[in-house]
Structure formats: C-alpha cells, structure tokens
Amino acid sequence: MTIDGSPSDSGTRRLSMDESIGELVSQLTTDLGQLTRQELALAKAELQVEAKKAGKGAGMLGGAAFAGWMVALFVSLTVMWALDEAMDLIWAALIVAVVWAVVAVVLAMSGRKELQEVNPKPDQTVESLKEDAKWLKTRKS
C-alpha cells in the first residue's frame, strides 16, 4: 500500500513519514533497552569477580588476625614466665594483664574517635544529583 491507500506495484509496503519515525523510535528504544541490559550484565559479572577477590582477601585477613592473636598470647605467656624469674607468677600475670588492658583502652578510644568522624552521607553524590535536577528543570523551561 502506498501513502494514499492504493496497492503498490512492487508488493512492498511504503511507509508514511509518521510510521517510519515510529519504527525508528521503536528500534531506538529496543536498542537502548538491550544496551542497558548488557551493561548491567557486565557490571554484575565484574562485581561478582571483585566480590570473590574481596571474600578471599577478607578470609586471609581473618586468618592473619587469628595468627596475630596467637602470637600475642604466646608472647604474653613468655613475658609472664620471664617476669616470674624476678617476682611471683601472680604479679607477673597481673602486670601482663594490665599492659593488655591499657592497649585495649587506647585502641577502643581511638576506634571510637574514628567512628564518630565518619560521615555516612555521600555529600558529593547528593550535590551532583542536586545539580542534575537543576539542569533538568532549566531544560524543561
């Protein structure tokens, strides 16, 4: 059919201007959707690889922390037994315990201070989104 509704000689359908624009928009929408899905799939795959790496690293750090704890334990026992040569074992154990208590207090205070300084709100992202909203409002006007 031609634009005026009469049958065409070649058997192919001639598109009107509106129909061809509609098909272009439809194709563009389809392509954009497909591209978005592909990008999301790629991001998901990349994040999975990175998450596996992070999990492996976290496990290794956990093992290192346990090994460090064991070292601290045995060094503490060694210091306690070394001090036993100069004093009673009870006083040596008390001295080692007090030293570890001081370390714990200092670390707890430092950690608390660091956590109080954390700002969970992504300020730069919020500011960027506000600028984008302003830009869109000016484009609509």
Side-chain angles (χ1 to χ4, degrees):
M1 273 192 143
T2 60
I3 295 175
D4 62 357
S6 62
S8 63
D9 295 327
S10 65
T12 59
R13 185 171 179 248
R14 291 186 58 197
L15 299 174
S16 69
M17 184 64 86
D18 290 337
E19 288 174 320
S20 63
I21 290 174
E23 285 185 6
L24 284 173
V25 169
S26 174
Q27 184 64 37
L28 179 64
T29 304
T30 302
D31 290 347
L32 185 59
Q34 183 179 7
L35 179 62
T36 302
R37 284 188 295 278
Q38 289 172 344
E39 290 295 330
L40 287 173
L42 177 62
K44 182 180 175 183
E46 287 178 334
L47 286 175
Q48 284 177 342
V49 169
E50 293 302 314
K52 286 180 183 178
K53 286 181 189 176
K56 190 175 182 179
M60 289 181 183
L61 285 175
F66 177 74
W69 179 73
M70 294 301 288
V71 167
L73 176 68
F74 285 108
V75 167
S76 297
L77 289 172
T78 303
V79 169
M80 186 177 72
W81 285 327
L83 287 174
D84 182 39
E85 298 297 321
M87 62 186 73
D88 286 335
L89 185 60
I90 293 174
W91 289 110
L94 185 61
I95 289 171
V96 171
V98 168
V99 168
W100 277 114
V102 169
V103 169
V105 167
V106 168
L107 287 174
M109 289 173 47
S110 298
R112 184 172 182 235
K113 181 181 175 187
E114 287 292 322
L115 286 175
Q116 287 175 342
E117 293 175 1
V118 170
N119 181 9
K121 187 174 85 173
D123 292 329
Q124 290 178 341
T125 302
V126 169
E127 194 61 37
S128 176
L129 288 172
K130 286 179 182 178
E131 289 174 7
D132 291 347
K134 286 180 185 176
W135 180 80
L136 282 173
K137 286 179 183 178
T138 60
R139 299 295 290 174
K140 286 182 181 178
S141 300

